[in-house]
Amino acid sequence: MEEEDGIEENSASGGEGSRWVDGSEVDSETAAWVWPGENEAREGQGYGSMRRRLVKKPKRVDSFDVEAMEVAGAHGHHPKDPSVWQTLALAFQTLGVVYGDMGTSPLYVFADVFSKVTIESDVDVLGALSLVMYTIALIPLAKYVFVVLKANDNGEGGTFALYSLICRYANINMLPNRQPADEQISSFRLKLPTPELERALNIKETLESKSSLKTVLLLFVLMGTSMIIGDGILTPAISVMSAVSGLQGELEGFETNAVVVVSIVILLALFSIQQFGTGKVGFLFAPILALWFFCLGSIGLYNLLKHDITVLRAVNPAYIYFFFKKNSGAAWSALGGCVLCITGAEAMFADLGHFSVRSIQIAFTFVVFPCLLLAYLGQAAYLMKYPASAERIFYDSVPGSLFWPVLVIATIAAMIASQAMISATFSCVKQSMALGCFPRLKIVHTSKRKMGQIYIPVINWFLMIMCILVVSIFQSTTDIANAYGIAEVGVMIVSTALVTLVMLLIWQTNLFLALCFPLIFGSVEFIYLCAVLSKIEQGGWLPLVFASFFLCVMYIWNYGSVLKYRSEVREKISMDFMLELGSSLGTLRVPGIGLLYNELVQGIPSIFVQFLLSLPAIHSTIVFVCIKYVPVPVVPQEERFLFRRVCPKDYHMFRCVARYGYKDVRKEDHHAFEQLLAESLEKFLRREAEDLALESNLHEMEFDNLSVGSRGSRTRSGDGVEELRVPLMQVQRLEEVSTSTSEDGVSILPSSVMASDEDPSLEYELSALREAMDSGFTYLLAHGDVRARKDSFFLKKLVINYFYGFLRRNCRAGAANMSVPHMDIIQVGMTYMV
């Protein structure tokens, strides 16, 4: 993978290195400062204590970590733990959003299982019941509630959240735009060394050194995400059809066509209300699902006590062995029906960003799990007495007087069940977009309080159309169930593998315990996968088609984006060329601020030359703006911007890297962004001047009193321009220095440091910046066309020129994301040969 080792951004008189908006330097490449000749006798001379506070230690490995934690504490990034009532309220909402899918599984599980196995003895019923009970206890309860939910990325769940967590600890992202300063973001939360650190480092080095492993891991993650999107298509279809089909045995003339029509109407209503947001949907659906779980539990308990309480014998797992011994091949086929009892389990993790770990754990442990067990126990007790009712077991087991109320609640609950996977699909698509693996789409944030609650119109209507097609074509829940199992188990296997890697690399768990996780849960899921793959011809091909389609879209987008970025790195402008142009840049400089958007985090993009050639004049102040997503959920506001000076001071050119987490909300109000950027740039200039003045006076004091020059203060850059390296200064420390006075009230610092505003060069630059702001902002955007080189092989030309080109032309453009008036935009076309 090509590294960004090209030009360096130098300044003849300005400070080199990245800085926060408050001026604090964060570039880890800056040389560590050492003040030799520490003499304790000097401590009483006024500047000794000040010098010790400003000095950099020889090994400045994690010096900024302390600074970041202080900032985080001052601004209160980490919210207080929610109260008990808030957690219970969230737990109540999860019933309507997370557990709808799993809650409606009693509608069709036993009906599907006993369509493969005929009930001939108690062993058939008890064996199937034991399979269902232990499947629910092992996968959703033991795996997800107690292990996987803890592998969240600062409260965000899902396949891509696990991938971003791994990317944070090992540099395996295919897009080579990682900066050392990114690791200083306070939400990175690096772990302290443990006895297992050496093993974790070996795994990290192996992943980073082999590009083939990076590609395999990315494809694995994309496959899991594609399966989740496939679940979002199949879940509404099977849930709604299963509920509506209950009318076939009660209403005369209500045949298959009527089931299909009613199901389509319900699906249209479901997808139409998604635009109102997960929170509103959750509060609307949660009471209904709570009533549904109460019906499941109470009806199950009624059947258990009335018909055959001895089905509790199924707690003995030996009945699973007897079931397979008696039915052999038929039991293997029935295993594909048993897996339907845990459909929607992945939503517990994928929907985590909408809620909290504790709320999901409470809802499942104390409501969902007991009610599901009672429902299956009650159905099994009914089958022990009426084995011929297997085809309509759920509705036949409902007491006659409650049939119609339960049918209405079941139909509404089935519609709600789809909400879990729809919300999970929205979350996964947003995460994949932020990590550069999905074309840009419009995202609507439906809640001001919860950033994770989103709505993606294009995905919503796509899911709706696909659901209607599936219902219209299959017209049977049996074939849809065969397809459903493959998608569900595929997602679970991906999660198991990624969580195992998190255990070894990040948690640094004991090797034995880490291997027990995939050995136990992975083995169960692999058995289920083999069972459901045997049904490919009976509808199992459908999720594979969906997954293959989305896998191709996501990988092509990521592949094309990586090639485009590498092309920009290769073709960036050299500093020698910029110095030859001079401060006028070979053209006229007119008042105004030009914001040139590009993807480079270092260097001057080649598109800048196109602007110089195409425009009769260029703005007096140029800011290269890079919007970059880093593998963390949220980047704190005060750590959002990195500023850096590009070229000497008289060029008035800067780089601004705006960093966002994959869960961050990007403000579309360009006026607010412009104001924030201008204020941040002014702070940067003031802090730069203070640092330079303070450094200059510290040098003078060292020369005058110690006669020892500081080491490494000036270095010669590759192109002959002297480069001044500025020591790392915390804002808090500078405030201490500026307010420190001696006992008689006289400042210990020279006036040049105390009154930096009087610096003529600073005042000139600030006045030039204000004049440019008064003239307005102009957005300089590149309308880029990506083409494969002529000597590329045929498949690459096909993928880049046609497939990737089609996606770029039809995705959301950068100007649309910023909501900038057209009169403030200047676009220049450019072709990138990759």
Side-chain angles (χ1 to χ4, degrees):
M1 186 171 293
E2 184 171 341
E3 300 292 338
E4 294 186 43
D5 54 0
I7 61 173
E8 289 290 328
E9 298 170 0
N10 302 318
S11 173
S13 56
E16 192 276 348
S18 302
R19 293 169 176 269
W20 296 116
V21 295
D22 57 19
S24 300
E25 184 184 354
V26 298
D27 190 2
S28 62
E29 297 177 358
T30 305
W33 278 74
V34 182
W35 297 91
E38 283 284 356
N39 191 340
E40 295 182 359
R42 296 289 183 186
E43 291 182 1
Q45 295 187 11
Y47 66 86
S49 59
M50 176 198 69
R51 187 181 67 242
R52 288 196 306 275
R53 288 198 300 270
L54 295 178
V55 68
K56 280 188 178 182
K57 302 302 180 184
K59 295 184 68 176
R60 190 178 58 86
V61 180
D62 292 321
S63 61
F64 190 75
D65 287 347
V66 179
E67 186 174 337
M69 284 187 285
E70 289 177 2
V71 173
H75 294 266
H77 285 315
H78 308 293
K80 296 179 180 179
D81 293 334
S83 66
V84 174
W85 293 111
Q86 289 175 327
T87 302
L88 292 177
L90 277 178
F92 181 70
Q93 285 189 56
T94 62
L95 295 178
V97 177
V98 177
Y99 294 114
D101 189 10
M102 199 181 302
T104 54
S105 58
L107 286 169
Y108 46 80
V109 170
F110 276 153
D112 190 78
V113 169
F114 292 115
S115 67
K116 277 83 174 177
V117 174
T118 304
I119 301 177
E120 298 173 350
S121 66
D122 293 354
V123 171
D124 297 317
V125 176
L126 294 175
L129 176 60
S130 187
L131 267 173
V132 169
M133 290 171 61
Y134 280 100
T135 300
I136 296 175
L138 268 177
I139 304 300
L141 184 64
K143 176 188 171 182
Y144 280 94
V145 170
F146 291 110
V147 181
V148 176
L149 285 178
K150 296 180 181 179
N152 65 85
D153 187 10
N154 290 345
E156 190 74 12
T159 306
F160 262 101
L162 288 173
Y163 181 63
S164 72
L165 194 61
I166 296 170
C167 286
R168 197 151 76 236
Y169 285 80
N171 189 13
I172 59 173
N173 198 334
M174 302 296 289
L175 198 65
N177 65 346
R178 184 160 174 169
Q179 295 174 286
D182 295 339
E183 300 175 12
Q184 314 302 338
I185 298 175
S186 55
S187 54
F188 256 73
R189 292 184 179 178
L190 297 175
K191 287 178 66 68
L192 295 175
T194 67
E196 307 292 339
L197 178 61
E198 184 177 356
R199 184 196 68 215
L201 290 176
N202 290 335
I203 296 174
K204 177 178 182 291
E205 292 173 1
T206 303
L207 288 173
E208 291 180 344
S209 60
K210 296 185 178 180
S211 59
S212 58
L213 288 180
K214 297 180 183 180
T215 304
V216 168
L217 183 61
L218 177 64
L219 287 172
F220 199 60
V221 170
L222 295 181
M223 182 180 68
T225 306
S226 303
M227 291 286 187
I228 291 178
I229 300 175
D231 276 353
I233 296 171
L234 297 174
T235 298
I238 190 173
S239 300
V240 173
M241 283 197 72
S242 298
V244 176
S245 61
L247 292 172
Q248 283 184 291
E250 293 294 324
L251 297 179
E252 186 177 352
F254 197 85
E255 301 298 334
T256 303
N257 290 336
V259 172
V260 171
V261 171
V262 173
S263 299
I264 290 176
V265 171
I266 293 175
L267 290 172
L268 287 171
L270 172 68
F271 284 101
S272 297
I273 64 174
Q274 293 299 314
Q275 58 187 310
F276 298 109
T278 307
K280 298 181 181 66
V281 170
F283 268 118
L284 175 66
F285 287 170
I288 301 173
L289 258 296
L291 181 60
W292 168 249
F293 280 111
F294 174 76
C295 290
L296 287 179
S298 57
I299 293 174
L301 184 61
Y302 168 80
N303 287 323
L304 178 64
L305 297 175
K306 180 180 179 180
H307 298 296
D308 192 349
I309 198 172
T310 62
V311 294
L312 292 173
R313 291 175 292 165
V315 174
N316 184 358
Y319 282 101
I320 298 176
Y321 168 74
F322 298 143
F323 179 74
F324 277 93
K325 183 180 180 181
K326 178 181 180 297
N327 298 289
S328 59
W332 182 257
S333 181
L335 194 61
C338 286
V339 77
L340 298 178
C341 70
I342 55 173
T343 54
E346 181 64 25
M348 297 168 63
F349 188 48
D351 283 336
L352 185 58
H354 300 254
F355 303 101
S356 66
V357 173
R358 187 57 56 85
S359 64
I360 292 178
Q361 289 175 329
I362 290 174
F364 184 83
T365 307
F366 296 103
V367 178
V368 179
F369 184 59
C371 291
L372 287 179
L373 285 185
L374 286 173
Y376 289 117
L377 284 168
Q379 290 184 22
Y382 190 87
L383 287 173
M384 294 287 278
K385 193 172 183 178
Y386 305 103
S389 299
E391 186 178 354
R392 280 175 44 88
I393 175 58
F394 178 79
Y395 288 109
D396 285 353
S397 65
V398 176
S401 60
L402 296 178
F403 175 80
W404 286 105
V406 171
L407 176 67
V408 173
I409 297 174
T411 304
I412 300 175
M415 181 178 71
I416 296 170
S418 312
Q419 183 62 47
M421 292 315 301
I422 293 173
S423 301
T425 301
F426 290 160
S427 298
C428 287
V429 170
K430 181 182 184 297
Q431 292 174 10
S432 58
M433 286 170 56
L435 295 174
C437 296
F438 205 93
R440 295 182 298 270
L441 301 174
K442 180 181 180 180
I443 297 178
V444 179
H445 294 268
T446 58
S447 173
K448 294 181 179 180
R449 297 180 180 179
K450 297 288 290 184
M451 288 189 296
Q453 296 184 0
I454 59 174
Y455 164 70
I456 305 178
V458 174
I459 298 297
N460 183 67
W461 303 125
F462 175 82
L463 293 180
M464 184 190 74
I465 294 171
M466 290 296 104
C467 282
I468 293 174
L469 288 177
V470 168
V471 171
S472 303
I473 294 172
F474 282 88
Q475 299 187 358
S476 168
T477 58
T478 304
D479 289 341
I480 299 177
N482 294 335
Y484 200 18
I486 292 179
E488 196 67 33
V489 178
V491 174
M492 292 179 181
I493 289 178
V494 171
S495 295
T496 300
L498 292 179
V499 171
T500 302
L501 187 56
V502 168
M503 286 180 169
L504 294 171
L505 178 65
I506 301 171
W507 291 356
Q508 298 168 23
T509 310
N510 179 272
L511 185 61
F512 174 76
L513 294 177
L515 293 181
C516 282
F517 180 77
L519 190 64
I520 296 173
F521 300 111
S523 300
V524 174
E525 291 162 356
F526 181 74
I527 292 172
Y528 274 124
L529 181 65
C530 294
V532 295
L533 283 177
S534 63
K535 302 180 180 180
I536 289 182
E537 295 181 359
Q538 291 81 35
W541 55 269
L542 187 63
L544 299 180
V545 171
F546 284 141
S548 300
F549 170 75
F550 282 104
L551 178 64
C552 290
V553 169
M554 289 190 286
Y555 186 73
I556 287 173
W557 182 263
N558 180 265
Y559 177 69
S561 300
V562 170
L563 290 182
K564 177 178 177 292
Y565 187 86
R566 291 178 179 175
S567 173
E568 288 190 87
V569 171
R570 286 194 307 268
E571 297 172 4
K572 59 187 179 182
I573 303 172
S574 69
M575 187 57 63
D576 290 337
F577 176 76
M578 296 299 298
L579 294 176
E580 288 177 5
L581 289 178
S583 60
S584 65
L585 300 178
T587 184
L588 295 176
R589 302 290 295 270
V590 295
I593 297 180
L595 303 180
L596 196 155
Y597 278 75
N598 66 104
E599 297 180 6
L600 288 182
V601 296
Q602 181 181 353
I604 301 175
S606 55
I607 189 66
F608 185 57
V609 174
Q610 298 297 324
F611 280 104
L612 293 178
L613 295 175
S614 304
L615 300 179
I618 201 71
H619 302 81
S620 59
T621 300
I622 298 292
V623 181
F624 298 101
V625 181
C626 171
I627 304 294
K628 186 177 78 167
Y629 284 92
V630 291
V632 295
V634 177
V635 176
Q637 182 67 30
E638 62 272 16
E639 299 178 19
R640 171 119 27 238
F641 295 100
L642 286 176
F643 271 92
R644 195 175 195 174
R645 188 182 290 278
V646 181
C647 301
K649 264 191 175 182
D650 54 348
Y651 279 62
H652 303 292
M653 295 171 62
F654 307 89
R655 169 167 303 286
C656 171
V657 179
R659 304 179 297 180
Y660 292 86
Y662 57 80
K663 198 179 170 185
D664 273 325
V665 180
R666 278 188 58 190
K667 302 297 183 184
E668 296 192 355
D669 182 9
H670 67 98
H671 291 297
F673 182 81
E674 291 168 2
Q675 183 178 1
L676 180 62
L677 186 142
E679 292 174 355
S680 302
L681 182 55
E682 184 173 342
K683 289 180 183 178
F684 166 75
L685 294 175
R686 291 184 181 279
R687 182 57 59 201
E688 180 189 52
E690 290 181 8
D691 288 354
L692 288 172
L694 185 59
E695 176 212 353
S696 175
N697 284 278
L698 289 174
H699 279 314
E700 292 176 4
M701 286 188 282
E702 287 296 321
F703 277 115
D704 294 342
N705 296 288
L706 300 176
S707 301
V708 178
S710 64
R711 292 178 295 178
S713 59
R714 289 184 180 264
T715 59
R716 181 73 58 174
S717 63
D719 50 25
V721 179
E722 281 197 329
E723 183 181 56
L724 188 62
R725 299 188 177 273
V726 185
L728 179 65
M729 305 290 184
Q730 292 189 33
V731 180
Q732 294 91 337
R733 292 177 179 177
L734 283 172
E735 289 175 349
E736 291 176 8
V737 172
S738 61
T739 56
S740 297
T741 57
S742 59
E743 293 182 357
D744 55 359
V746 181
S747 170
I748 63 171
L749 287 178
S751 58
S752 60
V753 178
M754 294 300 296
S756 59
D757 288 348
E758 298 178 2
D759 183 1
S761 63
L762 173 62
E763 283 303 311
Y764 169 76
E765 197 159 19
L766 289 177
S767 62
L769 176 62
R770 295 188 187 103
E771 182 183 359
M773 289 171 55
D774 293 338
S775 300
F777 290 78
T778 302
Y779 291 79
L780 309 176
L781 306 179
H783 182 68
D785 185 23
V786 182
R787 309 287 295 179
R789 295 177 180 175
K790 292 184 178 180
D791 57 349
S792 302
F793 52 91
F794 173 76
L795 184 60
K796 181 179 178 181
K797 289 182 179 179
L798 180 66
V799 169
I800 297 298
N801 295 348
Y802 296 97
F803 297 148
Y804 180 68
F806 174 81
L807 293 176
R808 278 185 61 87
R809 287 191 297 272
N810 291 278
C811 72
R812 191 169 171 86
N817 284 330
M818 293 181 291
S819 299
V820 178
H822 292 294
M823 60 183 301
D824 293 338
I825 296 177
I826 298 178
Q827 283 191 325
V828 170
M830 182 173 181
T831 300
Y832 297 94
M833 303 303 296
V834 299

